[in-house]
Amino acid sequence: MPYVFAPSPQVSVPVAGRSERFPVHRIYCVGRNYVEHALEMGGTGREAPFFFMKPADAVLAAEPGVAVAMPYPTLTSNLHHEIELVVAIGIGGSHIKAADAASHIFGYAVGLDMTRRDLQNDMKKQGRPWSIGKGFDHSAPIGAITPAAQVPGIACAAIHLQVNGQDRQHSTIAKLIWNVAETIEQLSAAWTLQPGDLIFTGTPEGVGAVVRGDTLAGSIDGLQSIQIHIE
């Protein structure tokens, strides 16, 4: 099929232990999905889930064992880290029941929902969409995806972020307000999920600012860790 210009290359993420890569379709994100983070962001704890999106080409894929450089984004002076469990969808569907959600999951990865917090807060105050705070270039760093069968204990795994070797965020996946299966049920009622979709499931408390020169190291038990250097 002829195009008026060459299409962009397919965005993809490495898969742990395999040569094949995971092609990315869409990126969905869950807001305020840990109680303590919801409280630190002005929420009230458990509330109905809400979602936002990042463009697929916001992915900044980190190869296993390799630190990846992230350019400090434009227009902000308050760039925040948010470490998250990422769910990679392998089989699509709509109105997926929580009891059936596991069969739709290809695997899991460590991700960072990087946020231009000052721009997000400005948009919130004006009652405007805050895509500018969330969906910018390189705003979705992600490590290699581990197939689901290899991490049967993911629902109780520890999640941890350090900045320059100092602890910033530490919790467990068990503290998600809406667990992975419930999130897939809610999300697939609003959108038809497709193979290649990524779901950033929310961040625990402890989010904060990073600056040029900082190194972020994120980990979730059983998954490939991720290291990002802010330039």
Side-chain angles (χ1 to χ4, degrees):
M1 178 183 297
Y3 296 96
V4 295
F5 53 84
S8 299
Q10 171 67 54
V11 176
S12 65
V13 177
V15 177
R18 292 171 60 169
S19 59
E20 304 99 329
R21 296 179 68 89
F22 183 90
V24 178
H25 178 247
R26 291 177 179 171
I27 302 175
Y28 298 98
C29 305
V30 187
R32 297 182 181 178
N33 204 20
Y34 285 81
V35 170
E36 293 302 321
H37 174 61
L39 294 174
E40 75 180 354
M41 296 303 293
T44 58
R46 186 176 175 91
E47 54 187 335
F50 69 93
F51 307 100
F52 58 93
M53 299 177 71
K54 293 175 182 274
D57 61 2
V59 159
L60 181 61
E63 304 298 324
V66 178
V68 64
M70 176 186 171
Y72 194 93
T74 61
L75 303 179
T76 185
S77 58
N78 194 19
L79 176 66
H80 276 211
H81 59 75
E82 298 188 9
I83 189 168
E84 311 202 3
L85 171 69
V86 180
V87 177
I89 297 297
I91 298 174
S94 62
H95 298 282
I96 299 166
K97 298 298 183 184
D100 301 323
S103 65
H104 292 260
I105 298 171
F106 172 79
Y108 303 95
V110 179
L112 287 164
D113 168 19
M114 302 302 291
T115 303
R116 294 193 281 204
R117 190 72 74 199
D118 44 1
L119 300 186
Q120 182 192 31
N121 289 340
D122 285 346
M123 294 299 103
K124 285 182 178 179
K125 290 174 184 177
Q126 298 178 61
R128 295 178 176 177
W130 30 272
S131 296
I132 193 171
K134 289 286 191 178
F136 52 93
D137 296 345
H138 314 298
S139 63
I142 182 172
I145 296 169
T146 299
Q150 297 178 23
V151 279
I154 195 67
C156 297
I159 179 170
H160 188 208
L161 180 76
Q162 291 187 325
V163 177
N164 302 327
Q166 301 297 312
D167 289 345
R168 284 282 188 94
Q169 293 183 267
H170 186 73
S171 188
T172 70
I173 303 304
K175 291 186 177 181
L176 283 169
I177 297 173
W178 299 94
N179 65 34
V180 169
E182 292 169 330
T183 295
I184 289 174
E185 180 175 81
Q186 296 273 355
L187 191 61
S188 66
W191 292 273
T192 299
L193 296 182
Q194 301 289 343
D197 286 342
L198 298 174
I199 304 171
F200 281 63
T201 57
T203 194
E205 68 277 10
V207 302
V210 290
V211 298
R212 289 181 177 87
D214 282 347
T215 297
L216 288 65
S219 62
I220 297 174
D221 287 351
L223 302 181
Q224 296 277 337
S225 60
I226 185 172
Q227 189 172 68
I228 302 296
H229 185 71
I230 308 296
E231 296 190 337

